[in-house]
Amino acid sequence: MSRTFDIQDLVRENVKGLKPYSSARDEYVSDGTQMIFLDANENPFENGVNRYPDPQQRGLKAVLSEQKGVSVNNILLGNGSDEVLLDLIFRAFCEPNKDNIISLPPTYGMYKVLSGVNAVENREVLLTKDFEIDIEGILGAVDENSKIIFICSPNNPTGNSFDEMAILRLLNEFKGLVVIDEAYIDFSAKKSWLKRLVEFPNLIITQTLSKAYGMAGIRLGLSFASQEIIAILNKIKPPYNVNELTQQRALEQVSIRDILKLEVTEILKQKGTLLKVLSEVDFIQKIYPSDANFVLVKVDNANKRYNQLLEKGIVVRNRTTQSLCENTLRFTIGTQVENEKLICVLKELA
Ligand SMILES: Cc1ncc(COP(=O)(O)O)c(C=O)c1O
């Protein structure tokens, strides 16, 4: 960025002066030597989870740091990426009843919910009809209290990734933070913004283990940003914000990357099969390009088709009430067996 950027200008006043809670396990970090732990009022009888978890998730971060090519000091982990977004980014940077954020509907619904929860105005700038970013619209909506622009790429529910040059312009011209939600990046052939993290002091990237990594049930979200931003978020995070079972399970799963890659390849193969069939279903009027593990389609009557699928035992997402998404359904790509069943039912209904 050409102009000087100081993250402290964006931090909420109460957070600036805050002294974080120092937990027992922050003050003493085990080096593996056998010690007697009488510092945290735990039950001393071992059962695998009687001790508090590592508040900084050092083991897990070390593996993720290597896999993602990002220093551990640029990583923050949380209980799902929603929590990282909600509890931390909003609370660190947005002054309630004063600041605003920009979101780009149709997009992931949590940005709006989170802004409501945090009493932060949500300025919505619709995507264009082709589901691209309306740069001029965004720059026109921004004022001195605009703290964050949320960009979901690949976008949920539309499935497309946004133009790199458009995002670049926002990173360069917007004076606040740009959060790029990459929940679906592992399904996409497009490059993650992680490689360019060091170039932008106002960039926060969020990812999740809930999608391609196959761990929605353990709740683990990842944030990547400058050391300064991560330090601010660390200051306000709940002390033990990733539980022991999640840390253990995540470590096991992220270590079997080859299997996860095979699963992603299989999901993309099933997506290809489904796409071919969708184009032959007469009540499907449009199939939107997708870089994710789901496909958005426009149908003749979304409510009717949604209910018909339900009756056949298939639950999809009806997105008809979303801006620019009238009569659309979103299909997540399942296993081959699930996909074959869906295809069979779609042909029956056609
Ligand atoms: C774009 C996007 N971001 C974040 C999430 C939530 O991720 P997590 O399970 O890590 O809270 C979702 C879930 O559907 C999503 O679609």
Side-chain angles (χ1 to χ4, degrees):
M1 287 188 350
S2 48
R3 67 201 157 68
T4 51
F5 175 86
D6 186 354
I7 189 66
Q8 293 305 327
D9 295 341
L10 297 179
V11 181
R12 275 175 68 184
E13 281 308 316
N14 64 317
V15 172
K16 273 186 194 160
L18 193 84
K19 196 169 175 315
Y21 174 71
S22 178
S23 68
R25 294 297 133 78
D26 273 321
E27 289 176 9
Y28 175 81
V29 180
S30 170
D31 62 358
T33 315
Q34 192 62 41
M35 303 296 278
I36 297 176
F37 287 107
L38 304 177
D39 56 345
N41 302 342
E42 297 147 329
N43 178 330
F45 296 102
E46 289 298 334
N47 61 16
V49 286
N50 59 313
R51 299 291 175 191
Y52 281 103
D54 175 2
Q56 291 302 327
Q57 308 97 28
R58 290 171 184 85
L60 184 53
K61 274 187 193 161
V63 175
L64 288 169
S65 154
E66 205 186 306
Q67 289 191 359
K68 302 279 177 186
V70 174
S71 153
V72 287
N73 298 325
N74 298 107
I75 305 177
L76 181 102
L77 303 180
N79 185 39
S81 49
D82 285 349
E83 182 200 288
V84 175
L85 295 168
L86 163 69
D87 278 342
L88 304 181
I89 303 177
F90 272 87
R91 287 210 262 148
F93 300 107
C94 297
E95 208 66 68
N97 302 311
K98 177 179 168 216
D99 289 334
N100 64 74
I101 60 122
I102 310 283
S103 68
L104 316 176
T107 193
Y108 183 48
M110 281 304 285
Y111 315 133
K112 184 176 185 171
V113 173
L114 308 179
S115 60
V117 168
N118 285 281
V120 171
E121 184 194 347
N122 174 33
R123 296 196 174 170
E124 297 190 326
V125 180
L126 282 188
L127 297 176
T128 65
K129 283 199 189 66
D130 301 327
F131 296 148
E132 284 299 338
I133 293 179
D134 172 7
I135 295 275
E136 301 311 327
I138 294 172
L139 295 175
V142 159
D143 66 15
E144 71 281 5
N145 293 323
S146 301
K147 289 290 185 72
I148 310 169
I149 300 175
F150 283 96
I151 301 174
C152 183
S153 186
N155 188 37
N156 176 9
T158 60
N160 60 310
S161 305
F162 294 122
D163 178 46
E164 191 182 335
M165 295 314 285
I167 296 180
L168 208 52
R169 233 187 110 186
L170 291 176
L171 280 164
N172 283 320
E173 291 183 32
F174 178 54
K175 292 192 171 61
L177 293 165
V178 176
V179 174
I180 305 183
D181 183 341
E182 292 191 337
Y184 299 97
I185 195 67
D186 300 295
F187 299 105
S188 171
K190 308 263 163 57
K191 275 193 243 122
S192 162
W193 281 85
L194 266 186
K195 297 270 173 299
R196 304 195 63 179
L197 191 64
V198 285
E199 289 175 50
F200 304 104
N202 60 342
L203 172 60
I204 301 179
I205 297 165
T206 62
Q207 295 184 358
T208 177
L209 298 195
S210 299
K211 309 296 176 184
Y213 281 81
M215 285 177 271
I218 69 168
R219 313 301 302 128
L220 196 94
L222 293 69
S223 265
F224 305 93
S226 70
Q227 277 194 39
E228 290 74 20
I229 292 177
I230 296 297
I232 293 161
L233 297 175
N234 257 322
K235 198 159 107 164
I236 63 167
K237 85 173 181 61
Y240 300 109
N241 67 325
V242 180
N243 74 66
E244 179 63 31
L245 297 177
T246 294
Q247 291 191 41
Q248 284 176 13
R249 194 61 206 273
L251 252 178
E252 283 165 29
Q253 284 281 114
V254 296
S255 307
I256 51 163
R257 283 191 96 192
D258 291 349
I259 296 176
L260 294 175
K261 274 192 188 144
L262 287 177
E263 287 177 2
V264 168
T265 307
E266 173 60 16
I267 290 167
L268 295 179
K269 186 177 147 207
Q270 292 308 321
K271 181 168 127 180
T273 308
L274 181 66
L275 282 172
K276 276 192 211 118
V277 174
L278 292 178
S279 60
E280 291 157 14
V281 176
D282 60 7
F283 63 80
I284 293 181
Q285 297 167 352
K286 186 164 183 170
I287 305 163
Y288 295 92
S290 164
D291 280 329
N293 65 332
F294 57 83
V295 182
L296 187 77
V297 296
K298 195 176 194 64
V299 296
D300 53 353
N301 181 333
N303 294 338
K304 175 178 152 190
R305 301 302 178 184
Y306 175 81
N307 286 322
Q308 284 178 330
L309 287 165
L310 265 191
E311 277 165 26
K312 301 280 181 185
I314 297 176
V315 191
V316 299
R317 194 87 153 115
N318 186 351
R319 298 283 74 191
T320 193
T321 57
Q322 305 293 298
S323 317
L324 306 177
C325 289
E326 199 185 347
N327 282 321
T328 60
L329 298 177
R330 194 192 67 197
F331 298 101
T332 302
I333 309 301
T335 61
Q336 181 174 353
V337 172
E338 291 169 336
N339 209 22
E340 280 168 4
K341 171 84 180 154
L342 172 65
I343 288 170
C344 186
V345 168
L346 286 172
K347 282 183 174 163
E348 254 176 59
L349 295 177

